[in-house]
Each structure stands twice: as C-alpha cells, then as structure tokens.
Amino acid sequence: RDATDYSAADGVMIEGFAEWGPGDPFDLSDWRLQMNRALGLVGQGRSLLAQSYVEPDNVPDRLFQLGAYLLIKSDRTYINFDLGLEPEWFPEYDIDLGAALDPLPAAIDDLRQANGLYRRRYARGEVWLQPDPAAGPVAVSLGATRWLAAPQGGGFVPADGVLPASWQVSYSPLTSITLGPGQAAILLNSPP
C-alpha cells in the first residue's frame, strides 16, 4: 500500500471514488479502506473531491457513488461525476437532504446496520447503501412512508447552457426497500 503522508495537504481529490469504474465495484475490504481513508481526512477538516467516472445512462451506478459520498459528506466534501472535458450536470446534484443528523463517523463501519447495509440520516431524509458485491439482496422496512429519489437524464451540458427539462429527479412513495450489491437508495422524509 502507498504510505504517502497527506496530513500536510489542505485537501485531496479521490479519482475513482467508490468503485474502480462504471459497474466495476471494489471488494468490500477495498471499499472500506477507501472510505476510512477519506473519513480520516474529512474528519481533520480537509477538503475532499470525490470524483467518479460514470456512464450517463447507468443511474443505479450513479446513485451508488452518490450514496457512498453521502455517507462521508461534511462541510468541505464535493462530488463530481466525470464523462470528459466538457461541462457535465446530473439532476441528483440537486437532491436536498439538508444537514446530516448522524455525525461524521470515525470509521465507515460506524454506519453499518445489523442487516449489513450502511445508513446515514439527514434532516430531510436518509441514504442506504449496499457496498458488498458478494451480498444477496437485503430488504428494509422503513417504518414510515419515504420518497425514493429516481434521477432521469444528465450528462454533457448542451452548448447553449440550458439543461433539458427532462433532466430531473422524480420521487415515489414507499415503505420498504430492497438493496442488492452495489445499490443505494436516497430517500426523502416527505415529498419535495
């Protein structure tokens, strides 16, 4: 492993955040290692840019990367989905969960639930994530109606700078979720 000491840096960019590339998940131990290293920096007040390479039509993959980011989000963390050199935009950037209710964990497993999923609560919702590529589907009863975020569209910004109206997030009510390997759910407590 790289033994470089980043303690003097004001911030870092993690290229290949949350997985090797689109649809190519880390082993659970590698995912934990990356999350814990990121938490070590974020917990010291360092800036962190989580950059993932995405395929615009692979919304479940984008949600997984966003979910992993939301588990470690702090005041100086940022996410970027990258396609290339042109400006990009994705509608899930506008999901407003509000401030985190669960404090930033010291280690990623502090957010691990008894069912093996990872969860972090926010003022307006919560994120659930299944990072284990070897796990089977896990069902969760939410205890109340929540609204599941489902982004549509996203990608390179058109030359005129006007985002297509079809690039949006829709929300559907549900009382339970089932997450398989490499899946995440971003849920709001009430309809937007």
Side-chain angles (χ1 to χ4, degrees):
R1 299 283 182 196
D2 182 3
T4 304
D5 180 4
Y6 294 100
S7 62
D10 291 327
V12 299
M13 178 180 120
I14 297 177
E15 194 170 16
F17 178 74
E19 60 184 13
W20 297 112
D24 188 9
F26 290 141
D27 287 337
L28 182 59
S29 62
D30 288 333
W31 180 84
R32 284 178 172 146
L33 178 64
Q34 187 184 72
M35 295 298 109
N36 284 328
R37 286 182 171 175
L39 284 168
L41 291 166
V42 173
Q44 295 173 33
R46 306 291 200 265
S47 295
L48 183 131
L49 173 60
Q51 180 162 301
S52 296
Y53 298 97
V54 298
E55 296 170 346
D57 295 333
N58 191 340
V59 174
D61 200 50
R62 289 174 13 207
L63 285 172
F64 176 77
Q65 294 167 8
L66 180 61
Y69 162 76
L70 290 168
L71 293 177
I72 65 166
K73 185 179 182 329
S74 189
D75 293 341
R76 294 182 179 180
T77 55
Y78 310 92
I79 189 165
N80 180 50
F81 292 152
D82 191 58
L83 299 172
L85 298 177
E86 301 298 319
E88 304 111 353
W89 183 255
F90 295 89
E92 54 267 39
Y93 288 167
D94 285 334
I95 297 172
D96 184 5
L97 290 174
L101 294 180
D102 293 327
L104 190 68
I108 197 64
D109 279 349
D110 293 346
L111 298 175
R112 189 172 187 272
Q113 307 298 299
N115 60 14
L117 300 181
Y118 290 74
R119 175 188 182 213
R120 189 167 185 207
R121 296 173 307 132
Y122 283 81
R124 294 188 189 104
E126 60 191 358
V127 58
W128 287 85
L129 186 124
Q130 172 53 284
D132 187 351
V138 176
V140 176
S141 175
L142 300 171
T145 300
R146 300 284 187 257
W147 280 259
L148 178 68
Q152 293 102 33
F156 288 116
V157 174
D160 64 5
V162 177
L163 300 179
S166 62
W167 291 11
Q168 60 183 340
V169 179
S170 63
Y171 296 88
S172 55
L174 44 73
T175 57
S176 66
I177 56 171
T178 300
L179 294 179
Q183 292 184 326
I186 298 167
L187 306 161
L188 294 185
N189 296 335
S190 58

